[in-house]
Amino acid sequence: MHKGFPEAGGEVLPMRLRPTLAAWAAVLALVPVLSAPAGASTPIRDGRNDAVVVAVIDSGFTPYHWNYLAAKMPQAQDQDPSNDLPLRDAPDTWLPGFPDPSGFASYSRLDLTLDETNPNRSLSSLQATDAATWAQVQTSTAEATHLYWLPGTKVVGMVDFEGNDVVSSATDHGAGTSSVAVGNLHGTCPECLLVFITYNPCPLENLKCAQKEDALTWAMQQPWIDVITNSYGFSTGLRDRIYDGSDTAIQRQASERGQTIFFSSGNGQANTFTVPNSTLMSSQEGPDWIVTVGGVSPSGGDYSGAGKPADVASVGGSYPSIGGTTVSSSGTFSGTSNATPVVAGMYGRTLYRARRALPGNSRIQQGGVIADQHPDPDLEEEPFVCGETRPDCELSDGLLTAPELRTRLFHGAVHTPQGLAPGGVTNTPVVTQEQQFLHEGHGSYFARLNGTAAWQSEEARIVDPLLGQAQPMARPAGERDWMIVDSYCRQRIWRPWSGGYFRTGQNTLPPSTPDWPIRTALYNACAQGYEASELPNLVPLPPFDVGIGNPDPGTSGTALRLSVSTANRGLYGLELSGMPEGDTERTFLSYQCVMWAADRTCQARRPVGRFVYHQTHLHYHFQDYAKYELRTLLPDGTPDMSPSGLAADGGKAAFCLLDYDQDQPSPSPIYSQPHPLYLTCSGGFSGLAIQGISPYWRDTYVSSLDGQQILIDDVPDGRYAVVIIADPDDRLFETDETDNVSFTPIELKNGAVTTL
């Protein structure tokens, strides 16, 4: 399982070189940092550069509760000015990384009637007073995001994908999840800021729940959001698409960028511990880059069906939370719906403490780095130094990565003393250690259930090793082997990645053994996943017929038009099939064949995206198949692929895939035909319609077709590379992901194009 970098012998495996830093002995403790004495000349930073933002995707919540008021946050309650936040100002004016408001369809403040003094003030009375304000909230879609911020609260973003039903009672599901994650009174990260995102519940018979998918996709594309927590689902045996299947390519990109996404492991599905099960097969929790959270009872037992397999667990019953009818009232919350935001909050608070420990501007999410240091000598700041107990702690190089923090979260968890035997319905002693790895993953956190002192003691198991103040706890025997097998299984189902316990070519799988029957069953169940040898390999050819031409209908400007071909140089076909998505006839889910029989019969398919109907071409295209760019040409004749090298973006192109012409003689063992197999894109999908490219055939889009352009109005004369990137979002399964880019060098001069 995964997402953090596993430890060996109690130490994190090396991720990067750690430079020697100047000595600095101050490390962050649970008590606030002391402010400068009165009259001191040294200015003090505020806390905006250390802020942590948690997104909760759920039904409505009640922002009037003291759990969400800025005045009730720990930063406002202490005497330390260095952690204060300007929460009455628009977040784009102070929160590092917050996007330009012009990118939203609308960006507005909602001034609410807040009561910071009367603990018995009725929530419903405040909400009724603001009825006209709430009526102004517009519903967001995938194409248009309406973002609101609530001055005087910790809510720096609110997006409603549901339909003007974001505000609700204190007993609403979303009120529970958000309060245990970031609530001032009940949350495991009371210092964290909140982005609350609503979605619209969908009927069970609907094959697509667009609002939930759109909500999650939007959140995953926001690098200013540090943590996402999700606790929703249908209690059925079918968990993909009916369970709001999400974009796993965007998930992986978000995780590798540094965002951490938490999902509940099953919401109480008791399907007798079969593996792989609905948890592994769901497009949310299944992939190796998602943190899956299970639930344990307040007494320490495991719930039948919850947490299988999980990365970590927390309390699934009678947890202190928001509730009642007043601005300060409390209640309880339960289920993996509670466990997930509790763990997400603990991760968020650890990130907050790490950013506070690193001097200077620490807020970042780029290339996996989620905190760094920028000490300012003018402010008498010095670089961070780990505690003496663990001088090579994760912060020793002045950086913190998401895998490092996930490892600390996982390795601070402790298994409960009692669990359930597989298929059991009553508490019985655990038969083997591996059953707890199945139920609880690395272990459980009870957080605020038993009071503040117990919660802070658990937190210290995460934070103290991170800061070098303690050694990590010893991990249970067999845990690492279990996690390697689980990571292997998830990657077989979804696709490989480099951030898990299992790494292709680096790990030896633990052997099958009767002593570990569940682990063996998991391994055997996943052994029939895709094989790299049975996949295609997309290779884009250099763009040709590049020249100035008319822009596409509906666009204007100077168009650089290009023809492109993409060849399949693997031994097996790139074959995509379409299945209807909901009740629409214009959008279809797309599945790729990843395993073949000798008679060219597909044996296994994996979801990879969507087909959409092209209004001009009058047939279906696979979305985001290629991307066109114009980039600066470096002196060595190659394109500058850095952000500064992009001269013009042609956007992503959707293709109808077919065998346009033969690329090379085919050495494939089951494809040797001299004629095309994938012949046409005409007509609509009916059941399982097929598109594809045979081995050593290629698909070609000529420059006259819609979409074959890059608008270059603002590009000065000079030497450039016309670049094509095949499968830019890495949706398709291939044998080689390193050969998906090609280019043609050109010179722009006086409105003409010359190929170099």
Side-chain angles (χ1 to χ4, degrees), residues 319-357:
Y319 190 83
S321 175
I322 198 172
T325 60
T326 69
V327 295
S328 64
S329 56
S330 298
T332 59
F333 196 47
S334 298
T336 50
S337 291
N338 177 79
T340 305
V342 165
V343 173
M346 295 195 70
Y347 176 93
R349 191 163 194 257
T350 306
L351 175 56
Y352 175 76
R353 294 193 60 196
R355 286 177 174 171
R356 293 289 293 164

Short mmCIF file of all heavy atoms in Angstrom, two decimals, residues 319-357:
data_model
loop_
_atom_site.label_atom_id
_atom_site.label_comp_id
_atom_site.label_asym_id
_atom_site.label_seq_id
_atom_site.Cartn_x
_atom_site.Cartn_y
_atom_site.Cartn_z
N TYR A 319 -18.11 9.62 17.90
CA TYR A 319 -16.97 10.55 17.96
C TYR A 319 -17.49 11.96 18.22
O TYR A 319 -18.48 12.39 17.62
CB TYR A 319 -16.19 10.49 16.66
CG TYR A 319 -14.86 11.23 16.71
CD1 TYR A 319 -13.73 10.61 17.24
CD2 TYR A 319 -14.76 12.53 16.24
CE1 TYR A 319 -12.51 11.28 17.27
CE2 TYR A 319 -13.55 13.20 16.28
CZ TYR A 319 -12.43 12.58 16.80
OH TYR A 319 -11.23 13.24 16.84
N PRO A 320 -16.83 12.75 19.09
CA PRO A 320 -17.29 14.11 19.37
C PRO A 320 -17.24 14.99 18.14
O PRO A 320 -16.22 15.08 17.46
CB PRO A 320 -16.32 14.59 20.46
CG PRO A 320 -15.12 13.73 20.32
CD PRO A 320 -15.61 12.41 19.85
N SER A 321 -18.37 15.65 17.86
CA SER A 321 -18.50 16.40 16.63
C SER A 321 -19.50 17.52 16.81
O SER A 321 -20.00 17.77 17.92
CB SER A 321 -18.94 15.46 15.50
OG SER A 321 -19.19 16.16 14.31
N ILE A 322 -19.79 18.19 15.72
CA ILE A 322 -20.82 19.21 15.70
C ILE A 322 -22.19 18.56 15.92
O ILE A 322 -22.38 17.39 15.63
CB ILE A 322 -20.77 19.97 14.36
CG1 ILE A 322 -21.51 21.30 14.46
CG2 ILE A 322 -21.31 19.13 13.24
CD1 ILE A 322 -21.33 22.17 13.22
N GLY A 323 -23.14 19.32 16.43
CA GLY A 323 -24.49 18.79 16.64
C GLY A 323 -25.34 19.81 17.36
O GLY A 323 -24.88 20.89 17.74
N GLY A 324 -26.59 19.51 17.56
CA GLY A 324 -27.46 20.41 18.28
C GLY A 324 -27.95 21.57 17.43
O GLY A 324 -27.88 21.56 16.21
N THR A 325 -28.41 22.62 18.11
CA THR A 325 -29.08 23.72 17.42
C THR A 325 -28.44 25.08 17.65
O THR A 325 -28.90 26.07 17.10
CB THR A 325 -30.54 23.79 17.87
OG1 THR A 325 -30.60 24.02 19.29
CG2 THR A 325 -31.28 22.50 17.52
N THR A 326 -27.38 25.15 18.45
CA THR A 326 -26.77 26.43 18.76
C THR A 326 -25.37 26.53 18.16
O THR A 326 -24.80 25.53 17.71
CB THR A 326 -26.69 26.66 20.27
OG1 THR A 326 -25.72 25.75 20.83
CG2 THR A 326 -28.04 26.43 20.93
N VAL A 327 -24.80 27.74 18.20
CA VAL A 327 -23.51 27.98 17.58
C VAL A 327 -22.36 27.27 18.29
O VAL A 327 -21.27 27.15 17.73
CB VAL A 327 -23.21 29.49 17.51
CG1 VAL A 327 -24.20 30.19 16.60
CG2 VAL A 327 -23.20 30.12 18.90
N SER A 328 -22.58 26.77 19.49
CA SER A 328 -21.51 26.10 20.23
C SER A 328 -21.84 24.66 20.58
O SER A 328 -21.06 24.00 21.28
CB SER A 328 -21.19 26.87 21.51
OG SER A 328 -22.30 26.86 22.38
N SER A 329 -22.99 24.17 20.15
CA SER A 329 -23.44 22.84 20.58
C SER A 329 -22.62 21.73 19.94
O SER A 329 -21.99 21.91 18.91
CB SER A 329 -24.92 22.65 20.24
OG SER A 329 -25.14 22.87 18.86
N SER A 330 -22.65 20.57 20.59
CA SER A 330 -21.88 19.41 20.16
C SER A 330 -22.79 18.21 19.99
O SER A 330 -23.93 18.17 20.47
CB SER A 330 -20.77 19.08 21.17
OG SER A 330 -19.86 20.13 21.28
N GLY A 331 -22.26 17.21 19.31
CA GLY A 331 -22.96 15.95 19.12
C GLY A 331 -21.95 14.85 18.88
O GLY A 331 -20.80 14.95 19.32
N THR A 332 -22.35 13.83 18.16
CA THR A 332 -21.43 12.75 17.81
C THR A 332 -21.57 12.43 16.34
O THR A 332 -22.57 12.75 15.69
CB THR A 332 -21.70 11.47 18.63
OG1 THR A 332 -23.05 11.04 18.41
CG2 THR A 332 -21.48 11.73 20.11
N PHE A 333 -20.54 11.76 15.81
CA PHE A 333 -20.50 11.41 14.39
C PHE A 333 -19.91 10.02 14.29
O PHE A 333 -19.12 9.60 15.15
CB PHE A 333 -19.67 12.44 13.63
CG PHE A 333 -19.84 12.41 12.15
CD1 PHE A 333 -21.11 12.36 11.58
CD2 PHE A 333 -18.75 12.45 11.30
CE1 PHE A 333 -21.28 12.35 10.19
CE2 PHE A 333 -18.90 12.44 9.92
CZ PHE A 333 -20.17 12.39 9.37
N SER A 334 -20.23 9.28 13.22
CA SER A 334 -19.84 7.87 13.15
C SER A 334 -19.49 7.46 11.73
O SER A 334 -19.63 8.22 10.78
CB SER A 334 -20.97 6.98 13.68
OG SER A 334 -21.25 7.26 15.03
N GLY A 335 -19.02 6.20 11.62
CA GLY A 335 -18.73 5.59 10.33
C GLY A 335 -17.33 5.91 9.81
O GLY A 335 -16.59 6.70 10.39
N THR A 336 -16.98 5.26 8.69
CA THR A 336 -15.75 5.67 8.03
C THR A 336 -15.89 7.10 7.51
O THR A 336 -14.89 7.75 7.19
CB THR A 336 -15.39 4.72 6.87
OG1 THR A 336 -16.54 4.54 6.03
CG2 THR A 336 -14.93 3.38 7.39
N SER A 337 -17.13 7.60 7.44
CA SER A 337 -17.35 9.01 7.14
C SER A 337 -16.73 9.90 8.20
O SER A 337 -16.36 11.05 7.92
CB SER A 337 -18.85 9.30 7.06
OG SER A 337 -19.42 8.70 5.93
N ASN A 338 -16.64 9.41 9.43
CA ASN A 338 -15.96 10.15 10.49
C ASN A 338 -14.46 9.86 10.46
O ASN A 338 -13.64 10.78 10.59
CB ASN A 338 -16.52 9.77 11.85
CG ASN A 338 -15.78 10.44 12.99
OD1 ASN A 338 -16.01 11.60 13.29
ND2 ASN A 338 -14.87 9.72 13.64
N ALA A 339 -14.10 8.61 10.30
CA ALA A 339 -12.70 8.22 10.37
C ALA A 339 -11.85 8.96 9.35
O ALA A 339 -10.72 9.40 9.64
CB ALA A 339 -12.57 6.71 10.18
N THR A 340 -12.37 9.12 8.13
CA THR A 340 -11.58 9.71 7.05
C THR A 340 -11.22 11.16 7.30
O THR A 340 -10.04 11.53 7.24
CB THR A 340 -12.32 9.54 5.72
OG1 THR A 340 -12.62 8.16 5.52
CG2 THR A 340 -11.50 10.05 4.56
N PRO A 341 -12.19 12.07 7.60
CA PRO A 341 -11.79 13.46 7.87
C PRO A 341 -10.96 13.61 9.15
O PRO A 341 -10.15 14.54 9.24
CB PRO A 341 -13.12 14.20 7.97
CG PRO A 341 -14.14 13.15 8.24
CD PRO A 341 -13.65 11.91 7.57
N VAL A 342 -11.14 12.72 10.13
CA VAL A 342 -10.30 12.78 11.32
C VAL A 342 -8.84 12.56 10.95
O VAL A 342 -7.95 13.31 11.36
CB VAL A 342 -10.77 11.74 12.37
CG1 VAL A 342 -9.71 11.53 13.45
CG2 VAL A 342 -12.08 12.19 13.00
N VAL A 343 -8.56 11.54 10.14
CA VAL A 343 -7.19 11.26 9.72
C VAL A 343 -6.68 12.37 8.80
O VAL A 343 -5.52 12.80 8.90
CB VAL A 343 -7.09 9.89 9.04
CG1 VAL A 343 -5.71 9.67 8.45
CG2 VAL A 343 -7.41 8.79 10.04
N ALA A 344 -7.53 12.86 7.91
CA ALA A 344 -7.12 13.95 7.02
C ALA A 344 -6.72 15.18 7.82
O ALA A 344 -5.75 15.87 7.48
CB ALA A 344 -8.26 14.29 6.05
N GLY A 345 -7.47 15.47 8.90
CA GLY A 345 -7.12 16.60 9.75
C GLY A 345 -5.80 16.40 10.46
O GLY A 345 -5.02 17.35 10.61
N MET A 346 -5.51 15.18 10.90
CA MET A 346 -4.23 14.93 11.56
C MET A 346 -3.08 15.12 10.59
O MET A 346 -2.02 15.66 10.96
CB MET A 346 -4.21 13.54 12.18
CG MET A 346 -5.23 13.36 13.30
SD MET A 346 -4.97 11.91 14.35
CE MET A 346 -3.51 12.34 15.25
N TYR A 347 -3.26 14.70 9.37
CA TYR A 347 -2.25 14.95 8.34
C TYR A 347 -2.08 16.45 8.13
O TYR A 347 -0.96 16.97 8.07
CB TYR A 347 -2.66 14.27 7.03
CG TYR A 347 -1.75 14.54 5.86
CD1 TYR A 347 -0.70 13.70 5.55
CD2 TYR A 347 -1.96 15.66 5.04
CE1 TYR A 347 0.14 13.95 4.46
CE2 TYR A 347 -1.13 15.92 3.96
CZ TYR A 347 -0.09 15.07 3.68
OH TYR A 347 0.74 15.33 2.60
N GLY A 348 -3.21 17.17 8.03
CA GLY A 348 -3.14 18.61 7.81
C GLY A 348 -2.46 19.35 8.94
O GLY A 348 -1.68 20.28 8.71
N ARG A 349 -2.72 18.94 10.19
CA ARG A 349 -2.10 19.64 11.32
C ARG A 349 -0.60 19.36 11.38
O ARG A 349 0.20 20.23 11.74
CB ARG A 349 -2.76 19.24 12.64
CG ARG A 349 -2.32 20.14 13.80
CD ARG A 349 -3.25 20.03 14.98
NE ARG A 349 -3.01 21.11 15.93
CZ ARG A 349 -2.35 20.98 17.08
NH1 ARG A 349 -1.85 19.80 17.42
NH2 ARG A 349 -2.20 22.01 17.89
N THR A 350 -0.19 18.16 11.01
CA THR A 350 1.24 17.87 10.95
C THR A 350 1.91 18.72 9.88
O THR A 350 3.02 19.24 10.08
CB THR A 350 1.48 16.38 10.67
OG1 THR A 350 0.78 15.59 11.64
CG2 THR A 350 2.95 16.04 10.73
N LEU A 351 1.25 18.88 8.74
CA LEU A 351 1.79 19.75 7.70
C LEU A 351 1.88 21.19 8.21
O LEU A 351 2.88 21.88 7.94
CB LEU A 351 0.90 19.68 6.46
CG LEU A 351 1.25 20.62 5.30
CD1 LEU A 351 2.69 20.43 4.84
CD2 LEU A 351 0.28 20.43 4.14
N TYR A 352 0.87 21.64 8.93
CA TYR A 352 0.90 22.99 9.49
C TYR A 352 2.09 23.17 10.43
O TYR A 352 2.82 24.16 10.36
CB TYR A 352 -0.40 23.27 10.23
CG TYR A 352 -0.42 24.60 10.96
CD1 TYR A 352 -0.59 25.79 10.26
CD2 TYR A 352 -0.26 24.67 12.35
CE1 TYR A 352 -0.61 27.01 10.92
CE2 TYR A 352 -0.27 25.88 13.01
CZ TYR A 352 -0.45 27.05 12.29
OH TYR A 352 -0.46 28.26 12.95
N ARG A 353 2.33 22.20 11.27
CA ARG A 353 3.44 22.31 12.22
C ARG A 353 4.78 22.26 11.51
O ARG A 353 5.74 22.92 11.92
CB ARG A 353 3.32 21.21 13.28
CG ARG A 353 2.08 21.38 14.17
CD ARG A 353 2.13 20.49 15.37
NE ARG A 353 3.30 20.79 16.18
CZ ARG A 353 3.77 19.98 17.13
NH1 ARG A 353 3.18 18.82 17.36
NH2 ARG A 353 4.83 20.33 17.82
N ALA A 354 4.86 21.48 10.44
CA ALA A 354 6.12 21.45 9.67
C ALA A 354 6.37 22.79 9.01
O ALA A 354 7.51 23.30 9.01
CB ALA A 354 6.06 20.34 8.63
N ARG A 355 5.33 23.39 8.43
CA ARG A 355 5.51 24.70 7.80
C ARG A 355 5.86 25.77 8.83
O ARG A 355 6.64 26.70 8.54
CB ARG A 355 4.23 25.07 7.03
CG ARG A 355 4.06 24.29 5.74
CD ARG A 355 2.76 24.62 5.03
NE ARG A 355 2.69 23.96 3.72
CZ ARG A 355 1.61 23.92 2.95
NH1 ARG A 355 0.49 24.51 3.36
NH2 ARG A 355 1.65 23.30 1.78
N ARG A 356 5.30 25.66 10.02
CA ARG A 356 5.64 26.62 11.07
C ARG A 356 7.09 26.44 11.53
O ARG A 356 7.77 27.39 11.89
CB ARG A 356 4.71 26.46 12.27
CG ARG A 356 3.27 26.83 12.02
CD ARG A 356 3.10 28.34 11.85
NE ARG A 356 3.37 29.07 13.08
CZ ARG A 356 3.60 30.38 13.15
NH1 ARG A 356 3.62 31.10 12.05
NH2 ARG A 356 3.81 30.96 14.31
N ALA A 357 7.56 25.19 11.48
CA ALA A 357 8.93 24.93 11.92
C ALA A 357 9.95 25.44 10.92
O ALA A 357 11.04 25.87 11.30
CB ALA A 357 9.12 23.42 12.15
#
